[in-house]
Amino acid sequence: MLQINKIIFREIQLPLKEPFQISSGTMSIRRFLLLEFFDQNGITGWSECVADELPNYTPETIDTCWLAIKEWIAPRILGKNFNHPNEIHKVVDADIRGHDMAKAAIEMGAWELTAQIQGVPLSRLIGGTRDQIATGISLGIQDSPKILADKTQSCLAEGYNKIKIKIKPGKDIKFISAVREALGMAAKIMADANNAYTLADIDILKQLDQFGLMMIEQPLAWDDIIRHATLQQQLKTPICLDESITNLEKAEDMVALGSGKIINIKPGRVGGFTSSIAIHDFCQENNIPVWCGGMLESGIGRAHNVALASLPNFVLPGDVSPSSRYWQQDIVKPEWTMDENGMVTVPLDKPGMGVEVDMDRVDNLTVRSETLHVS
Ligand code: OSB
Ligand code: MG
């Protein structure tokens, strides 16, 4: 039995080691909304809401999530009894349109709390089978092809299993070409456009075919499925959808229409673990490989991504890089690390997410907080 009686909201801010530029904007300081959950016996669990400061990835932001969770989503679950955390998604989804990242923060906290109550690793509670997950790195848009090519060489040397390169019009062909030249044809590289192109750019996108990319992520509009199908028919490079896949039905649409061949699952984007598992299972049945995306998470959101990436059909390396790729110091102990083969170990020796929240550090970093109690 799961009953959540209290939730503490906290905003903390961490500067990124280097600004992260994608086609729709640049981030230098990551604002995080963290949630701490308490059950009726005082057992606690954490989740991280992955929305950014600005609505340039999806429509949500950290501030809309704070409002949505407080006003509409948390009241649906506070003080209520649930047999299993897989009941939460339906309850928070009914008649509340959108706000998937806000819903996910509550839903994933409920799973984490359940893992803590049952004393089992979160990975195993959600159906994970792997002991280690392969990781890649997502590189923001760089000033020149040379700077990018040099960076990708160091990333390969560090052991990353995949290098994702952010592109936008004018920073595409020359940049990818320089990377291919520096790394050779065998290196596993891919591009992510974050919606920077339209079908009018088809000639540029076709030129990318010569580079043997593992995939191109979300080249067209953030909510498009139809035009990606037209594009996929004309591209050799597999399309991977990110922004467009917000639930199982969108994944079904992608397969029915041929809009892509791979899905990047971010649990925050699809409303949580229950929805992620449903998309994972559907993709497995339909021979669609999946991988776990990232949202520049702190060690808490990263822990939840590591657990998800341990499911069997996560067959491609995820954007689940070690803490030191992003932060001078993370907010969990131990920090997330990667071995020389680019593998992250799934913590199976502790209940829940498998890392401790550094409370002193979180307290010091907190810029606002609020507590919701059962009434
Ligand atoms: O499109 O996958 C994306 C970060 C913020 C918003 C969107 C995206 C990303 C990343 C970062 O690619 C991946 C990571 O967390 O390392
Ligand atoms: Mg993406």
Side-chain angles (χ1 to χ4, degrees), residues 57-324:
Y57 168 71
T58 63
E60 294 181 87
T61 72
I62 161 171
D63 298 299
T64 69
C65 285
W66 192 300
L67 176 86
I69 294 170
K70 179 180 158 186
E71 297 292 335
W72 311 307
I73 300 168
R76 293 237 175 133
I77 57 120
L78 269 179
K80 309 268 164 59
N81 289 321
F82 295 96
N83 291 313
H84 194 275
N86 65 13
E87 297 169 0
I88 304 267
H89 182 250
K90 219 168 152 181
V91 171
V92 299
D93 211 39
D95 304 323
I96 298 177
R97 312 294 185 225
H99 300 285
D100 298 304
M101 291 176 178
K103 290 169 182 169
I106 288 290
E107 201 255 8
M108 293 164 77
W111 279 94
E112 170 68 17
L113 190 55
T114 302
Q116 296 287 353
I117 293 166
Q118 295 186 4
V120 296
L122 180 63
S123 156
R124 295 318 189 233
L125 184 67
I126 64 176
T129 52
R130 296 171 194 280
D131 297 353
Q132 287 197 312
I133 59 160
T135 187
I137 186 166
S138 172
L139 290 177
I141 295 169
Q142 306 293 319
D143 287 340
S144 74
K146 166 95 171 90
I147 294 172
L148 175 66
D150 289 350
K151 278 214 153 131
T152 59
Q153 267 170 330
S154 347
C155 293
L156 271 197
E158 282 176 72
Y160 285 109
N161 287 292
K162 179 185 88 178
I163 299 176
K164 168 163 131 178
I165 296 152
K166 294 287 186 178
I167 56 169
K168 67 176 183 180
K171 294 213 163 193
D172 40 32
I173 307 298
K174 283 193 183 126
F175 284 67
I176 300 289
S177 169
V179 172
R180 254 306 170 231
E181 214 158 285
L183 303 185
M185 277 314 274
K188 289 187 188 166
I189 63 170
M190 61 167 291
D192 185 358
N194 291 105
N195 336 305
Y197 299 88
T198 70
L199 284 177
D201 301 311
I202 192 124
D203 290 339
I204 298 172
L205 295 167
K206 274 185 172 168
Q207 283 183 55
L208 289 173
D209 275 342
Q210 65 185 295
F211 301 114
L213 300 176
M214 295 170 80
M215 68 194 97
I216 177 166
E217 191 175 335
Q218 199 77 29
L220 307 179
W222 66 277
D223 57 351
D224 174 78
I225 302 267
I226 303 279
R227 288 165 184 76
H228 279 101
T230 306
L231 179 62
Q232 183 66 88
Q233 279 171 10
Q234 300 187 51
L235 282 192
K236 285 201 216 100
T237 309
I239 291 175
C240 168
L241 293 183
D242 172 356
E243 285 90 329
S244 293
I245 306 297
T246 49
N247 53 42
L248 173 62
E249 289 71 25
K250 294 292 191 296
E252 292 171 350
D253 293 350
M254 183 195 92
V255 171
L257 298 174
S259 322
K261 298 179 178 169
I262 300 171
I263 293 181
N264 158 345
I265 302 182
K266 295 179 183 174
R269 192 193 67 229
V270 303
F273 284 130
T274 305
S275 167
S276 299
I277 295 164
I279 294 170
H280 165 274
D281 293 352
F282 168 78
C283 287
Q284 193 163 27
E285 285 153 23
N286 287 274
N287 297 314
I288 301 286
V290 305
W291 53 280
C292 185
M295 290 292 293
L296 310 174
E297 286 90 349
S298 82
I300 296 172
R302 196 160 304 282
H304 289 177
N305 288 345
V306 169
L308 183 64
S310 73
L311 269 68
N313 193 36
F314 281 81
V315 290
L316 295 170
D319 285 346
V320 190
S321 309
S323 303
S324 62

Side-chain angles (χ1 to χ4, degrees), residues 21-34:
Q21 189 187 350
I22 67 175
S23 63
S24 52
T26 303
M27 189 188 300
S28 304
I29 294 178
R30 185 71 168 103
R31 291 176 61 197
F32 295 102
L33 167 52
L34 305 178

